[in-house]
Amino acid sequence: MKQDIFQAIADPTRRAILTLLAVQALTPNVMAEKFDMSRQAVSKHIKVLQECDLVKPEHQGREIYYHFNAKKMQEFDHWLAQFRQNWQAQFNQLDKLLSTIKEEK
Amino acid sequence: MNNNDLLFDFKVDKVAKTVYITREFNAGLDLVWDAFSRPELLDQWGAPAPMRAKTKYMDFKVGGRRFYAMVSPDGQERWSVQEFTSITPKTNFKMYNTFADKDENRELPGSDWDYNFSEQDGITKVYIVIYNESFERLEKLLEGFKIGFTMTLKNLEELLVKLS
């Protein structure tokens, strides 16, 4: 992954693009219209989202439709869940340590 | 009080790149503060099993450092440096955490950690805010844990083979 996913979703325009794509796949032209932005500006955002795998392109004739990659978002949430579990595991160890120390006193 | 009734809250603000952790412990403030600030205690709980924490040195004062490793069951070490930026005894301490190599060369950028402690009726609440932990850094952190966990499964498999 070339892009930090946090950076990708920290930008409000990119979040709006993702929200839009979660409903339906769109071409960059349609996105540019919807956001009242230049085609170039949309392409830049799409590039960032594509680099961290949050959107996937699909060629249909001469047009490129971009899809929201829900699986990537899930993976990301999964990572965070693991992070949470690690903390919980450590804290459970600390519970044991604290009760051992308390008993010794 | 049953340990299962102790509060554990974990929130992530993806946009602000901030993780918020709240946890209650069934022990007094003095003891919990020590468990977070004394290396001989930290090393007994500061890594999720089967990983273990190993502190090379710790100088718990403002500007001081803790240089420590997460060690996996097969002996792989992942070193980090914590630099203490502010300490208010038994109330709060802040640190800047970075990965490092075994010679203490830091891999910037790191993340800011803010620990808050308060006691009520013999229960101590610890509130931790971790700022700017990028997804890559999280991934790196978890990679170490995964290595440890995979090793344990492998050891278990070998043991089962021996026993069967």
Side-chain angles (χ1 to χ4, degrees):
Chain A
M1 203 189 335
K2 280 174 288 188
Q3 276 281 348
D4 179 357
I5 198 165
F6 272 122
Q7 300 282 17
I9 51 188
D11 181 279
T13 308
R14 286 198 285 271
R15 284 205 300 280
I17 290 175
L18 285 177
T19 310
L20 205 60
L21 295 183
V23 182
Q24 61 179 135
L26 296 170
T27 65
N29 279 337
V30 175
M31 283 184 245
E33 267 169 47
K34 283 196 188 280
F35 288 105
D36 196 15
M37 272 163 62
S38 72
R39 176 61 214 271
Q40 232 175 345
V42 167
S43 293
K44 254 191 201 157
H45 286 309
I46 289 287
K47 188 169 172 279
V48 172
L49 292 170
Q50 203 180 334
E51 276 182 352
C52 62
D53 215 16
L54 280 166
V55 300
K56 280 190 184 307
E58 188 199 344
H59 294 264
Q60 290 187 6
R62 281 177 23 196
E63 292 281 15
I64 302 178
Y65 281 83
Y66 284 93
H67 293 256
F68 172 59
N69 183 8
K71 197 167 162 287
K72 184 71 208 179
M73 212 59 181
Q74 265 174 349
E75 263 173 46
F76 180 55
D77 286 332
H78 177 71
W79 273 114
L80 290 174
Q82 268 189 296
F83 191 55
R84 181 185 191 275
Q85 276 171 350
N86 277 321
W87 276 98
Q88 185 64 309
Q90 287 184 60
F91 288 148
N92 290 343
Q93 289 165 186
L94 178 53
D95 286 335
K96 286 198 192 97
L97 176 66
L98 292 169
S99 67
T100 310
I101 297 175
K102 273 163 66 174
E103 276 165 27
E104 284 170 359
K105 279 190 177 170
Chain B
M1 179 158 184
N2 185 322
N3 277 352
N4 294 336
D5 301 333
L6 295 168
L7 172 76
F8 175 56
D9 184 53
F10 183 92
K11 276 198 206 71
V12 178
D13 182 337
K14 292 177 190 172
V15 177
K17 295 193 190 186
T18 306
V19 179
Y20 303 90
I21 304 166
T22 309
R23 179 65 146 78
E24 287 178 337
F25 295 98
N26 193 1
L29 177 62
D30 293 8
L31 187 52
V32 175
W33 175 264
D34 283 351
F36 276 84
S37 59
R38 285 175 46 183
E40 71 276 16
L41 294 177
L42 267 172
D43 283 3
Q44 291 184 62
W45 70 271
M51 309 283 293
R52 57 183 187 88
K54 180 178 81 174
T55 302
K56 198 165 179 181
Y57 74 84
M58 180 168 177
D59 189 10
F60 191 60
K61 63 170 198 234
V62 175
R65 284 180 171 197
R66 176 185 179 215
F67 181 42
Y68 75 104
M70 292 269 190
V71 188
S72 65
D74 62 337
Q76 286 190 63
E77 295 170 341
R78 188 76 177 92
W79 291 93
S80 297
V81 172
Q82 297 174 346
E83 188 167 310
F84 305 106
T85 51
S86 156
I87 299 171
T88 310
K90 295 181 186 171
T91 306
N92 169 281
F93 72 87
K94 295 181 177 68
M95 68 176 190
Y96 187 64
N97 190 61
T98 45
F99 289 119
D101 64 12
K102 62 176 182 8
D103 302 316
E104 220 182 319
N105 299 306
R106 299 200 286 182
E107 296 170 21
L108 299 167
S111 48
D112 284 298
W113 295 57
D114 183 343
Y115 292 81
N116 298 280
F117 300 77
S118 60
E119 181 185 352
Q120 200 171 9
D121 307 326
I123 300 290
T124 300
K125 186 191 281 185
V126 182
Y127 173 58
I128 308 169
V129 182
I130 310 168
Y131 173 68
N132 201 14
E133 186 82 54
S134 78
F135 187 49
E136 271 80 1
R137 290 192 80 258
L138 274 183
E139 282 198 304
K140 260 190 192 168
L141 207 67
L142 289 166
E143 233 162 67
F145 297 138
K146 275 211 312 208
I147 293 165
F149 188 64
T150 318
M151 280 298 303
T152 316
L153 289 178
K154 223 175 87 191
N155 295 346
L156 180 64
E157 274 170 13
E158 282 167 11
L159 181 68
L160 291 172
V161 168
K162 264 190 218 157
L163 294 174
S164 59

